[in-house]
Amino acid sequence: MVQKPLGIILEQEQSSGPIRVAKVNQGSAADAGVKEGDVLLAVQNASVENADLEEVLVFIGNAPRVLNLRLLRKESS
């Protein structure tokens, strides 16, 4: 669970591509273990895998103060 403000910057290279964590500031997200490069899969248990970044930001903005984010981390070899 992450509390607003999130302390992360999200980016999307293509309008239908994955939404990635570009930067993590100190605070809630960092404390929850979010890392740069993590891919955002769901917000409040709703899939955002095929969503536009602007839609996701509106969804996050309208969500309660405590958010449930599902992230995917590709482990480095």
Side-chain angles (χ1 to χ4, degrees), residues 12-65:
Q12 186 176 38
E13 292 181 12
Q14 302 170 9
S15 61
S16 63
I19 297 172
R20 297 185 187 279
V21 176
K23 184 175 180 181
V24 181
N25 299 321
Q26 289 183 347
S28 184
D31 294 343
V34 177
K35 297 193 181 291
E36 290 179 15
D38 287 354
V39 175
L40 184 62
L41 300 177
V43 177
Q44 299 300 86
N45 295 318
S47 175
V48 297
E49 290 184 66
N50 296 313
D52 179 70
L53 178 59
E54 295 301 320
E55 295 172 337
V56 172
L57 293 176
V58 169
F59 187 56
I60 290 172
N62 292 330
R65 183 168 183 225

Side-chain angles (χ1 to χ4, degrees), residues 2-7 28 59-67:
V2 178
Q3 289 190 12
K4 293 182 189 178
L6 302 178
S28 184
F59 187 56
I60 290 172
N62 292 330
R65 183 168 183 225
V66 177
L67 287 173

